Amino acid sequence: QRQEETVESVLHGTRILAVPQMSLSLDAAKYFKIRSAVSSEDGVTVTATYLPYYDKYGKLTGFKKRDWKLPKEKTGHFSVVGTVKASSQFFGQHEASLGAGRKQLFIVEGEGDVTAGWQSGFEFVKALQASPNVPKGIKDWAASVLKGISAIQNGEDIAGVPTLPFVGLNCGTANAV
Protein backbone atom coordinates (compact mmCIF):
# COMPACT_ATOMS: atom_id res chain seq x y z
CA GLN A 1 0.00 0.00 0.00
CA ARG A 2 1.29 3.43 -0.99
CA GLN A 3 1.81 6.00 1.74
CA GLU A 4 -0.04 9.27 1.06
CA GLU A 5 2.29 12.22 0.67
CA THR A 6 2.08 15.20 3.00
CA VAL A 7 3.75 18.61 3.01
CA GLU A 8 6.05 17.30 5.75
CA SER A 9 6.95 14.11 3.87
CA VAL A 10 7.84 16.18 0.79
CA LEU A 11 10.01 18.54 2.88
CA HIS A 12 11.83 15.62 4.53
CA GLY A 13 11.93 13.12 1.64
CA THR A 14 13.05 15.32 -1.26
CA ARG A 15 15.93 17.63 -2.17
CA ILE A 16 16.39 20.94 -3.95
CA LEU A 17 17.96 20.01 -7.30
CA ALA A 18 18.23 21.16 -10.90
CA VAL A 19 15.42 19.61 -12.96
CA PRO A 20 16.54 18.75 -16.51
CA GLN A 21 12.96 17.95 -17.59
CA MET A 22 12.04 21.61 -16.94
CA SER A 23 15.41 23.13 -17.93
CA LEU A 24 15.40 24.33 -14.32
CA SER A 25 18.75 25.45 -12.93
CA LEU A 26 19.89 24.72 -9.40
CA ASP A 27 19.88 28.49 -8.75
CA ALA A 28 16.18 28.71 -9.69
CA ALA A 29 15.31 25.59 -7.68
CA LYS A 30 17.04 27.10 -4.62
CA TYR A 31 15.37 30.49 -5.12
CA PHE A 32 11.84 29.09 -5.46
CA LYS A 33 12.43 26.17 -3.01
CA ILE A 34 11.42 23.67 -5.71
CA ARG A 35 12.00 20.15 -4.42
CA SER A 36 12.49 16.88 -6.30
CA ALA A 37 12.39 13.17 -5.63
CA VAL A 38 15.01 10.98 -7.28
CA SER A 39 15.01 7.41 -8.59
CA SER A 40 15.62 4.72 -5.99
CA GLU A 41 17.58 2.81 -8.66
CA ASP A 42 20.27 5.39 -9.48
CA GLY A 43 19.70 8.09 -6.81
CA VAL A 44 20.15 10.80 -9.47
CA THR A 45 17.31 10.77 -12.02
CA VAL A 46 14.55 13.22 -11.03
CA THR A 47 11.28 11.25 -10.81
CA ALA A 48 8.96 13.95 -9.42
CA THR A 49 9.12 17.70 -8.90
CA TYR A 50 7.28 19.62 -6.17
CA LEU A 51 6.45 23.31 -6.67
CA PRO A 52 5.71 25.09 -3.35
CA TYR A 53 2.57 27.14 -2.73
CA TYR A 54 1.77 29.52 0.11
CA ASP A 55 -1.43 30.97 1.56
CA LYS A 56 -2.12 34.72 1.73
CA TYR A 57 -0.12 34.91 4.99
CA GLY A 58 3.00 33.37 3.43
CA LYS A 59 2.61 29.96 5.11
CA LEU A 60 3.60 26.93 3.01
CA THR A 61 0.37 24.98 2.48
CA GLY A 62 1.15 22.58 -0.34
CA PHE A 63 2.97 21.57 -3.48
CA LYS A 64 1.95 21.03 -7.07
CA LYS A 65 3.55 17.70 -7.94
CA ARG A 66 4.73 16.76 -11.39
CA ASP A 67 5.36 13.01 -11.68
CA TRP A 68 7.96 12.52 -14.43
CA LYS A 69 7.31 8.76 -14.54
CA LEU A 70 3.84 9.35 -16.01
CA PRO A 71 3.11 10.87 -19.44
CA LYS A 72 1.76 14.43 -19.26
CA GLU A 73 -1.66 13.30 -20.53
CA LYS A 74 -2.03 10.59 -17.84
CA THR A 75 -4.05 11.19 -14.70
CA GLY A 76 -1.61 11.71 -11.84
CA HIS A 77 1.13 13.41 -13.88
CA PHE A 78 -0.01 16.59 -12.13
CA SER A 79 -1.35 16.33 -8.60
CA VAL A 80 -1.40 18.29 -5.35
CA VAL A 81 0.17 17.49 -2.00
CA GLY A 82 -1.42 19.52 0.80
CA THR A 83 -3.49 22.52 -0.29
CA VAL A 84 -3.10 24.50 -3.52
CA LYS A 85 -6.12 26.49 -4.67
CA ALA A 86 -7.14 29.66 -6.50
CA SER A 87 -6.81 31.66 -3.25
CA SER A 88 -3.15 30.57 -2.84
CA GLN A 89 -0.49 33.14 -3.64
CA PHE A 90 0.74 33.30 -7.23
CA PHE A 91 3.70 31.02 -7.86
CA GLY A 92 6.76 33.17 -7.02
CA GLN A 93 4.77 35.75 -5.05
CA HIS A 94 6.29 34.58 -1.77
CA GLU A 95 9.82 35.31 -3.06
CA ALA A 96 8.79 38.53 -4.83
CA SER A 97 7.25 39.84 -1.60
CA LEU A 98 10.55 39.41 0.25
CA GLY A 99 12.40 41.88 -1.98
CA ALA A 100 12.27 45.68 -2.02
CA GLY A 101 12.51 48.48 -4.55
CA ARG A 102 10.19 46.90 -7.11
CA LYS A 103 9.13 49.23 -9.85
CA GLN A 104 7.72 46.43 -11.95
CA LEU A 105 6.30 42.95 -11.54
CA PHE A 106 6.53 40.28 -14.23
CA ILE A 107 3.29 38.26 -14.38
CA VAL A 108 3.35 35.17 -16.60
CA GLU A 109 1.09 32.13 -16.95
CA GLY A 110 2.56 29.15 -15.09
CA GLU A 111 5.41 27.84 -12.99
CA GLY A 112 7.56 26.95 -15.99
CA ASP A 113 7.16 30.47 -17.36
CA VAL A 114 8.07 31.97 -13.96
CA THR A 115 11.24 29.91 -13.65
CA ALA A 116 12.25 30.49 -17.30
CA GLY A 117 11.74 34.26 -16.99
CA TRP A 118 13.52 34.37 -13.65
CA GLN A 119 16.48 32.37 -14.98
CA SER A 120 16.79 34.74 -17.96
CA GLY A 121 16.69 37.75 -15.64
CA PHE A 122 19.23 36.15 -13.30
CA GLU A 123 21.67 35.49 -16.16
CA PHE A 124 21.18 39.06 -17.44
CA VAL A 125 21.81 40.59 -13.99
CA LYS A 126 24.94 38.44 -13.55
CA ALA A 127 26.19 39.61 -16.97
CA LEU A 128 25.52 43.27 -16.09
CA GLN A 129 27.37 42.95 -12.82
CA ALA A 130 30.36 41.22 -14.47
CA SER A 131 30.64 43.51 -17.52
CA PRO A 132 33.44 46.11 -17.47
CA ASN A 133 31.40 48.36 -19.82
CA VAL A 134 28.35 48.85 -17.57
CA PRO A 135 27.99 52.14 -15.64
CA LYS A 136 28.68 51.98 -11.89
CA GLY A 137 25.07 52.68 -10.88
CA ILE A 138 23.78 49.74 -12.91
CA LYS A 139 26.58 47.48 -11.63
CA ASP A 140 25.69 48.46 -8.05
CA TRP A 141 22.00 47.71 -8.69
CA ALA A 142 22.91 44.32 -10.22
CA ALA A 143 25.13 43.51 -7.24
CA SER A 144 22.28 44.32 -4.83
CA VAL A 145 19.84 42.13 -6.81
CA LEU A 146 22.34 39.24 -6.70
CA LYS A 147 22.72 39.80 -2.95
CA GLY A 148 18.91 39.60 -2.55
CA ILE A 149 18.71 36.44 -4.62
CA SER A 150 21.48 34.82 -2.60
CA ALA A 151 19.74 35.78 0.66
CA ILE A 152 16.46 34.18 -0.48
CA GLN A 153 18.31 31.05 -1.64
CA ASN A 154 19.99 30.77 1.77
CA GLY A 155 16.94 31.67 3.88
CA GLU A 156 18.51 34.91 5.12
CA ASP A 157 16.84 38.26 5.81
CA ILE A 158 16.88 40.51 2.76
CA ALA A 159 15.19 43.65 4.08
CA GLY A 160 15.67 46.55 1.70
CA VAL A 161 17.32 44.55 -1.10
CA PRO A 162 15.70 44.14 -4.55
CA THR A 163 15.14 40.78 -6.27
CA LEU A 164 13.66 39.60 -9.57
CA PRO A 165 9.85 39.69 -9.08
CA PHE A 166 8.45 37.00 -11.40
CA VAL A 167 5.05 35.51 -10.53
CA GLY A 168 2.70 33.14 -12.32
CA LEU A 169 -0.93 32.13 -12.08
CA ASN A 170 -1.38 29.25 -9.67
CA CYS A 171 -4.39 27.41 -11.08
CA GLY A 172 -4.45 28.31 -14.77
CA THR A 173 -5.77 31.29 -16.67
CA ALA A 174 -9.39 30.41 -15.84
CA ASN A 175 -8.60 31.41 -12.24
CA ALA A 176 -6.76 34.63 -13.14
CA VAL A 177 -9.44 36.79 -11.54
Side-chain angles (χ1 to χ4, degrees):
Q1 178 175 335
R2 246 177 60 138
Q3 185 98 15
E4 184 168 332
E5 291 180 299
T6 64
V7 171
E8 291 73 27
S9 72
V10 170
L11 289 172
H12 298 296
T14 61
R15 302 188 318 239
I16 294 176
L17 304 165
V19 182
Q21 296 95 319
M22 293 176 67
S23 299
L24 182 78
S25 70
L26 180 58
D27 281 311
K30 285 181 182 177
Y31 183 80
F32 291 105
K33 307 292 187 259
I34 297 169
R35 306 191 70 84
S36 292
V38 294
S39 162
S40 56
E41 283 88 51
D42 66 16
V44 176
T45 304
V46 173
T47 57
T49 299
Y50 299 83
L51 304 148
Y53 274 88
Y54 303 84
D55 66 14
K56 66 182 179 179
Y57 304 107
K59 178 183 183 285
L60 176 67
T61 59
F63 293 91
K64 266 193 192 174
K65 177 184 178 183
R66 202 159 175 187
D67 189 332
W68 299 108
K69 299 181 307 281
L70 297 173
K72 193 173 185 178
E73 302 75 30
K74 271 266 208 250
T75 302
H77 176 78
F78 291 103
S79 61
V80 170
V81 176
T83 303
V84 176
K85 51 190 175 184
S87 62
S88 298
Q89 289 186 5
F90 288 158
F91 183 77
Q93 183 176 346
H94 180 73
E95 292 75 19
S97 70
L98 297 173
R102 288 183 305 280
K103 290 189 172 43
Q104 54 191 178
L105 179 67
F106 302 97
I107 303 172
V108 296
E109 188 170 351
E111 300 92 354
D113 300 326
V114 170
T115 57
W118 184 90
Q119 287 178 156
S120 296
F122 180 61
E123 293 303 321
F124 181 69
V125 170
K126 285 194 314 188
L128 284 175
Q129 208 269 330
S131 173
N133 304 322
V134 171
K136 182 180 179 340
I138 294 173
K139 280 178 100 70
D140 291 347
W141 170 82
S144 68
V145 169
L146 293 175
K147 179 181 174 191
I149 289 169
S150 177
I152 288 175
Q153 289 173 328
N154 297 315
E156 300 163 358
D157 180 36
I158 68 158
V161 180
T163 63
L164 294 173
F166 281 84
V167 301
L169 306 177
N170 56 358
C171 293
T173 53
N175 287 304
V177 175

